[in-house]
Amino acid sequence: MHIHNYEKLWLGLSLVLIVAFIGTITYGAVGAGVDMVDNGETVNPETLTDHPDFGDPGVEKVGPNEYEVHVVARQFFFQPGTITVPEDSTVTFHVTSGDVIHGFEVAGTNANTMVIPGEVATITVDTGKPGTYGMVCHEYCGAGHHDMAGTVEVVPEEEFEGVSEE
Ligand code: CUA
C-alpha cells in the first residue's frame, strides 16, 4: 500500500505529540515532584528528645545575621512557645512533629508549611523590622488544635544581644 507524504507527515507529527505528552506527564510525576517534596531530611519522632537539635529546640546563631531555629510541634503546643530573633536577619526554621500532623505558620510572613512526623520542614524568612508575629497551627490536629499557638518576636539587635546573654 502506498502512503502519501502528507499522511506520513501527520503520522510523524502525532508520534511526536504522543512522546511529548508522555514526557510531560513523566516530568510532572517524577521530575517536578522531586522538587516539591522537601529536602528529604528525616527524623525519628519517637526519639526527638534525644535529637541533637530537636532535643533542645530553639534559636542558634550560625553566621552574621543568620540564625537557625528548631521547632517541635506537639499536641497542642510549639516548643519553644516563644521564639525571639533579631531584626534584619535571615532565619531558617526547621520544624518537625513529635506526634501527629500539625501546621506551622508565622502569620503575615511566607513561613507556612505542614508539619509531618518523621519529616523536617525547612523555611527561610527575612525578619525585617521588629514586631510580634503569631505562630499558629493551621492543620487540624485534635481537640486542642484551636489553642495551639505561639509567638515569634522580632526584636532590635541590641535587645537580642540581651536576650541571648540570659
Ligand atoms: Cu497542631 Cu493543629
Side-chain angles (χ1 to χ4, degrees):
M1 176 179 99
H2 177 76
I3 301 178
H4 288 285
N5 281 343
Y6 237 14
E7 284 181 45
K8 274 188 196 158
L9 179 66
W10 281 113
L11 273 173
L13 276 180
S14 33
L15 269 177
V16 167
L17 272 178
I18 288 165
V19 171
F21 276 135
I22 292 171
T24 308
I25 291 163
T26 309
Y27 178 73
V30 182
V34 169
D35 282 333
M36 285 162 67
V37 175
D38 220 277
N39 56 13
E41 195 185 335
T42 57
V43 71
N44 183 351
E46 307 290 327
T47 59
L48 279 185
T49 48
D50 299 326
H51 190 276
D53 296 315
F54 290 110
D56 183 21
V59 182
E60 189 190 346
K61 185 168 188 168
V62 292
N65 299 320
E66 242 186 276
Y67 298 82
E68 304 253 317
V69 183
H70 285 83
V71 182
V72 177
R74 290 183 191 276
Q75 290 169 315
F76 296 98
F77 58 92
F78 290 105
Q79 207 189 346
T82 300
I83 295 169
T84 306
V85 286
E87 63 183 328
D88 293 325
S89 55
T90 303
V91 174
T92 301
F93 292 97
H94 303 273
V95 194
T96 194
S97 167
D99 41 41
V100 300
I101 292 178
H102 294 276
F104 174 81
E105 180 179 5
V106 182
T109 75
N110 64 350
N112 181 330
T113 184
M114 271 176 80
V115 182
I116 300 164
E119 293 182 19
V120 179
T122 301
I123 318 162
T124 301
V125 297
D126 291 320
T127 56
K129 298 270 164 284
T132 300
Y133 300 85
M135 170 169 68
V136 296
C137 175
H138 58 71
E139 285 292 330
Y140 184 75
C141 55
H145 162 71
H146 295 285
D147 295 320
M148 184 167 168
T151 310
V152 175
E153 301 267 8
V154 177
V155 300
E157 189 68 45
E158 321 84 68
E159 226 174 283
F160 182 76
E161 299 299 331
V163 169
S164 55
E165 277 162 21
E166 270 168 21

